[in-house]
CSV table of all heavy atoms in Angstrom, one decimal:
chain,number,residue,atom,x,y,z
A,179,ASP,N,18.5,-32.9,7.2
A,179,ASP,CA,19.5,-33.2,8.1
A,179,ASP,C,20.7,-32.1,8.0
A,179,ASP,O,21.9,-32.4,8.4
A,179,ASP,CB,20.1,-34.6,7.8
A,179,ASP,CG,20.5,-35.0,6.4
A,179,ASP,OD1,20.0,-34.3,5.5
A,179,ASP,OD2,21.5,-35.7,6.2
A,196,ASP,N,23.9,-34.9,-5.3
A,196,ASP,CA,22.6,-34.7,-4.6
A,196,ASP,C,22.1,-33.3,-4.9
A,196,ASP,O,21.0,-32.9,-4.3
A,196,ASP,CB,22.7,-34.9,-3.1
A,196,ASP,CG,23.0,-36.4,-2.7
A,196,ASP,OD1,22.4,-37.2,-3.4
A,196,ASP,OD2,23.7,-36.7,-1.7
A,199,ARG,N,18.5,-32.9,-5.8
A,199,ARG,CA,17.4,-33.1,-4.8
A,199,ARG,C,17.3,-32.0,-3.9
A,199,ARG,O,16.2,-31.7,-3.3
A,199,ARG,CB,17.8,-34.5,-4.0
A,199,ARG,CG,17.8,-35.7,-4.8
A,199,ARG,CD,18.0,-37.0,-4.0
A,199,ARG,NE,16.9,-37.2,-3.1
A,199,ARG,CZ,16.9,-37.9,-2.0
A,199,ARG,NH1,18.1,-38.3,-1.6
A,199,ARG,NH2,15.9,-38.1,-1.2
A,342,PRO,N,12.7,-31.5,2.6
A,342,PRO,CA,12.5,-32.7,3.6
A,342,PRO,C,13.0,-33.9,3.0
A,342,PRO,O,12.4,-34.9,2.8
A,342,PRO,CB,11.1,-32.8,3.8
A,342,PRO,CG,10.3,-32.2,2.6
A,342,PRO,CD,11.4,-31.1,2.2
A,343,VAL,N,14.4,-33.9,2.7
A,343,VAL,CA,15.0,-35.1,2.3
A,343,VAL,C,16.2,-35.3,3.3
A,343,VAL,O,16.7,-34.4,3.9
A,343,VAL,CB,15.6,-35.0,0.8
A,343,VAL,CG1,14.4,-34.9,-0.1
A,343,VAL,CG2,16.5,-33.8,0.7
A,344,ILE,N,16.6,-36.6,3.4
A,344,ILE,CA,17.8,-37.0,4.3
A,344,ILE,C,19.0,-37.4,3.4
A,344,ILE,O,18.9,-38.4,2.7
A,344,ILE,CB,17.4,-38.1,5.2
A,344,ILE,CG1,16.0,-37.9,6.0
A,344,ILE,CG2,18.5,-38.3,6.3
A,344,ILE,CD1,16.1,-36.6,6.9
A,345,LEU,N,19.9,-36.5,3.3
A,345,LEU,CA,21.1,-36.8,2.4
A,345,LEU,C,22.2,-37.6,3.1
A,345,LEU,O,22.8,-38.5,2.5
A,345,LEU,CB,21.7,-35.5,1.9
A,345,LEU,CG,20.7,-34.8,0.9
A,345,LEU,CD1,21.4,-33.5,0.4
A,345,LEU,CD2,20.2,-35.6,-0.3
A,347,ARG,N,25.1,-37.2,4.0
A,347,ARG,CA,26.5,-36.9,3.7
A,347,ARG,C,26.7,-35.6,3.0
A,347,ARG,O,25.8,-35.2,2.3
A,347,ARG,CB,27.2,-38.0,2.9
A,347,ARG,CG,26.5,-38.3,1.6
A,347,ARG,CD,27.1,-39.6,0.9
A,347,ARG,NE,26.7,-39.6,-0.5
A,347,ARG,CZ,26.2,-40.8,-1.0
A,347,ARG,NH1,26.2,-41.9,-0.4
A,347,ARG,NH2,26.0,-40.8,-2.3
A,350,ARG,N,27.7,-29.8,6.3
A,350,ARG,CA,26.5,-29.4,7.0
A,350,ARG,C,26.6,-27.9,7.4
A,350,ARG,O,27.6,-27.5,8.0
A,350,ARG,CB,26.3,-30.3,8.2
A,350,ARG,CG,25.7,-31.7,7.9
A,350,ARG,CD,25.2,-32.4,9.2
A,350,ARG,NE,26.3,-32.5,10.1
A,350,ARG,CZ,26.9,-33.7,10.5
A,350,ARG,NH1,26.5,-34.8,10.0
A,350,ARG,NH2,27.9,-33.7,11.3
A,352,TRP,N,24.9,-26.4,10.1
A,352,TRP,CA,24.7,-25.9,11.5
A,352,TRP,C,25.9,-26.4,12.5
A,352,TRP,O,26.0,-25.9,13.6
A,352,TRP,CB,23.5,-26.6,12.2
A,352,TRP,CG,22.2,-26.4,11.3
A,352,TRP,CD1,21.4,-27.2,10.8
A,352,TRP,CD2,21.7,-25.0,11.1
A,352,TRP,NE1,20.3,-26.5,10.2
A,352,TRP,CE2,20.5,-25.2,10.3
A,352,TRP,CE3,22.1,-23.7,11.3
A,352,TRP,CZ2,19.6,-24.3,9.9
A,352,TRP,CZ3,21.2,-22.7,10.9
A,352,TRP,CH2,20.0,-22.9,10.2
A,355,LEU,N,27.7,-24.2,15.4
A,355,LEU,CA,27.0,-23.0,15.5
A,355,LEU,C,26.0,-22.9,16.7
A,355,LEU,O,24.9,-22.2,16.6
A,355,LEU,CB,26.3,-22.6,14.2
A,355,LEU,CG,27.2,-22.3,13.0
A,355,LEU,CD1,26.5,-22.1,11.7
A,355,LEU,CD2,28.0,-21.0,13.3
A,356,ARG,N,26.3,-23.7,17.7
A,356,ARG,CA,25.5,-23.7,18.9
A,356,ARG,C,25.0,-22.4,19.3
A,356,ARG,O,25.8,-21.4,19.5
A,356,ARG,CB,26.2,-24.5,20.0
A,356,ARG,CG,25.5,-24.5,21.3
A,356,ARG,CD,26.3,-25.2,22.4
A,356,ARG,NE,25.7,-25.1,23.7
A,356,ARG,CZ,24.7,-25.8,24.2
A,356,ARG,NH1,24.2,-26.8,23.3
A,356,ARG,NH2,24.1,-25.7,25.4
A,357,GLY,N,23.7,-22.2,19.6
A,357,GLY,CA,23.3,-20.9,20.1
A,357,GLY,C,23.0,-19.9,19.1
A,357,GLY,O,22.6,-18.7,19.4
A,359,ASP,N,20.7,-19.4,17.1
A,359,ASP,CA,19.3,-18.9,17.2
A,359,ASP,C,19.1,-17.8,18.2
A,359,ASP,O,18.2,-17.0,18.0
A,359,ASP,CB,18.3,-20.1,17.4
A,359,ASP,CG,18.7,-20.9,18.7
A,359,ASP,OD1,19.8,-21.6,18.6
A,359,ASP,OD2,18.2,-20.7,19.7
A,364,VAL,N,13.5,-16.2,15.0
A,364,VAL,CA,13.3,-17.3,14.0
A,364,VAL,C,11.9,-17.4,13.6
A,364,VAL,O,11.0,-17.6,14.6
A,364,VAL,CB,14.0,-18.5,14.6
A,364,VAL,CG1,14.0,-19.6,13.5
A,364,VAL,CG2,15.4,-18.3,15.1
B,250,LEU,N,16.9,-27.8,15.4
B,250,LEU,CA,17.0,-27.6,13.9
B,250,LEU,C,18.1,-28.3,13.4
B,250,LEU,O,18.2,-28.7,12.2
B,250,LEU,CB,17.1,-26.1,13.6
B,250,LEU,CG,16.9,-25.7,12.2
B,250,LEU,CD1,15.7,-26.2,11.5
B,250,LEU,CD2,16.9,-24.0,12.2
B,251,ASP,N,19.2,-28.4,14.2
B,251,ASP,CA,20.4,-29.2,13.7
B,251,ASP,C,20.2,-30.8,14.0
B,251,ASP,O,21.2,-31.5,14.0
B,251,ASP,CB,21.7,-28.6,14.3
B,251,ASP,CG,21.8,-28.5,15.8
B,251,ASP,OD1,20.6,-28.3,16.5
B,251,ASP,OD2,22.8,-28.6,16.4
B,268,ASP,N,20.4,-29.5,27.9
B,268,ASP,CA,19.6,-28.8,26.8
B,268,ASP,C,18.2,-29.3,26.7
B,268,ASP,O,17.3,-28.9,25.8
B,268,ASP,CB,20.2,-28.9,25.4
B,268,ASP,CG,21.5,-28.2,25.3
B,268,ASP,OD1,21.7,-27.0,26.0
B,268,ASP,OD2,22.5,-28.6,24.7
B,271,ARG,N,15.3,-26.8,26.6
B,271,ARG,CA,15.2,-26.0,25.3
B,271,ARG,C,14.6,-26.8,24.2
B,271,ARG,O,13.9,-26.2,23.4
B,271,ARG,CB,16.6,-25.5,24.9
B,271,ARG,CG,17.3,-24.6,25.9
B,271,ARG,CD,18.6,-23.9,25.2
B,271,ARG,NE,18.4,-23.1,24.0
B,271,ARG,CZ,19.3,-22.8,23.1
B,271,ARG,NH1,20.4,-23.5,23.1
B,271,ARG,NH2,18.9,-22.0,22.1
B,414,PRO,N,13.3,-24.6,16.5
B,414,PRO,CA,14.3,-23.9,15.8
B,414,PRO,C,15.4,-23.3,16.7
B,414,PRO,O,15.6,-22.2,16.8
B,414,PRO,CB,13.5,-22.7,15.2
B,414,PRO,CG,12.3,-22.5,16.1
B,414,PRO,CD,12.0,-23.8,16.7
B,415,VAL,N,16.1,-24.2,17.4
B,415,VAL,CA,17.3,-23.9,18.2
B,415,VAL,C,18.5,-24.8,17.6
B,415,VAL,O,18.3,-25.8,17.0
B,415,VAL,CB,17.1,-24.2,19.7
B,415,VAL,CG1,16.1,-23.3,20.2
B,415,VAL,CG2,16.8,-25.7,19.9
B,416,ILE,N,19.7,-24.2,17.7
B,416,ILE,CA,20.9,-24.9,17.3
B,416,ILE,C,21.6,-25.3,18.6
B,416,ILE,O,22.2,-24.5,19.2
B,416,ILE,CB,21.8,-24.0,16.5
B,416,ILE,CG1,21.0,-23.3,15.4
B,416,ILE,CG2,23.0,-24.8,15.9
B,416,ILE,CD1,20.4,-24.1,14.3
B,417,LEU,N,21.7,-26.6,18.8
B,417,LEU,CA,22.2,-27.2,20.0
B,417,LEU,C,23.8,-27.5,19.8
B,417,LEU,O,24.5,-27.3,20.7
B,417,LEU,CB,21.5,-28.4,20.5
B,417,LEU,CG,20.1,-28.1,21.0
B,417,LEU,CD1,19.4,-29.4,21.6
B,417,LEU,CD2,20.1,-27.0,22.0
B,419,ARG,N,25.5,-30.0,19.9
B,419,ARG,CA,26.1,-31.2,20.4
B,419,ARG,C,25.0,-32.1,21.0
B,419,ARG,O,23.9,-31.7,21.2
B,419,ARG,CB,27.1,-30.9,21.5
B,419,ARG,CG,26.5,-30.0,22.6
B,419,ARG,CD,27.6,-29.5,23.6
B,419,ARG,NE,27.1,-28.9,24.8
B,419,ARG,CZ,27.5,-27.8,25.3
B,419,ARG,NH1,28.3,-27.1,24.8
B,419,ARG,NH2,26.9,-27.4,26.4
B,422,ARG,N,22.4,-37.1,17.3
B,422,ARG,CA,21.6,-36.7,16.2
B,422,ARG,C,20.7,-37.7,15.6
B,422,ARG,O,21.1,-38.9,15.4
B,422,ARG,CB,22.4,-36.0,15.1
B,422,ARG,CG,23.0,-34.7,15.4
B,422,ARG,CD,23.6,-34.1,14.3
B,422,ARG,NE,24.6,-34.8,13.7
B,422,ARG,CZ,26.0,-34.6,13.6
B,422,ARG,NH1,26.4,-33.5,14.1
B,422,ARG,NH2,26.8,-35.5,13.1
B,424,TRP,N,19.3,-38.0,12.5
B,424,TRP,CA,19.3,-38.3,11.0
B,424,TRP,C,20.5,-39.0,10.6
B,424,TRP,O,20.5,-39.5,9.4
B,424,TRP,CB,19.1,-37.1,10.2
B,424,TRP,CG,18.0,-36.2,10.5
B,424,TRP,CD1,17.9,-34.9,10.9
B,424,TRP,CD2,16.5,-36.6,10.4
B,424,TRP,NE1,16.6,-34.4,11.0
B,424,TRP,CE2,15.8,-35.5,10.8
B,424,TRP,CE3,15.8,-37.8,10.1
B,424,TRP,CZ2,14.3,-35.6,10.9
B,424,TRP,CZ3,14.4,-37.9,10.2
B,424,TRP,CH2,13.7,-36.7,10.5
B,427,LEU,N,20.9,-42.1,8.0
B,427,LEU,CA,19.6,-42.4,7.5
B,427,LEU,C,19.3,-41.9,6.1
B,427,LEU,O,18.2,-41.6,5.8
B,427,LEU,CB,18.5,-42.0,8.5
B,427,LEU,CG,18.5,-42.7,9.8
B,427,LEU,CD1,17.5,-42.2,10.9
B,427,LEU,CD2,18.1,-44.3,9.7
B,428,ARG,N,20.3,-41.8,5.3
B,428,ARG,CA,20.2,-41.2,4.0
B,428,ARG,C,19.0,-42.0,3.3
B,428,ARG,O,19.0,-43.2,3.2
B,428,ARG,CB,21.5,-41.5,3.2
B,428,ARG,CG,21.5,-41.1,1.8
B,428,ARG,CD,22.8,-41.3,1.1
B,428,ARG,NE,22.7,-41.1,-0.4
B,428,ARG,CZ,22.8,-40.0,-1.0
B,428,ARG,NH1,22.9,-38.9,-0.2
B,428,ARG,NH2,22.7,-39.9,-2.2
B,429,GLY,N,18.2,-41.1,2.6
B,429,GLY,CA,17.1,-41.7,1.8
B,429,GLY,C,15.9,-42.1,2.6
B,429,GLY,O,15.0,-42.5,2.0
B,431,ASP,N,13.6,-40.4,3.6
B,431,ASP,CA,12.4,-39.8,3.3
B,431,ASP,C,11.7,-40.5,1.9
B,431,ASP,O,10.5,-40.3,1.7
B,431,ASP,CB,12.7,-38.3,2.7
B,431,ASP,CG,13.9,-38.3,1.8
B,431,ASP,OD1,15.1,-38.5,2.2
B,431,ASP,OD2,13.8,-38.1,0.6
B,440,VAL,N,3.7,-25.5,10.6
B,440,VAL,CA,4.3,-24.7,11.5
B,440,VAL,C,3.4,-24.3,12.7
B,440,VAL,O,2.2,-23.9,12.5
B,440,VAL,CB,4.8,-23.4,10.9
B,440,VAL,CG1,5.5,-22.5,12.0
B,440,VAL,CG2,5.8,-23.7,9.8
Side-chain angles (χ1 to χ4, degrees):
Chain A
D179 55 330
D196 291 325
R199 292 186 73 203
V343 297
I344 311 297
L345 295 182
R347 56 189 194 223
R350 284 193 303 246
W352 305 121
L355 290 174
R356 175 179 172 80
D359 52 286
V364 186
Chain B
L250 190 52
D251 55 330
D268 291 325
R271 294 186 71 204
V415 297
I416 311 296
L417 295 182
R419 57 189 193 224
R422 285 193 303 248
W424 306 121
L427 290 174
R428 175 179 174 80
D431 52 287
V440 180

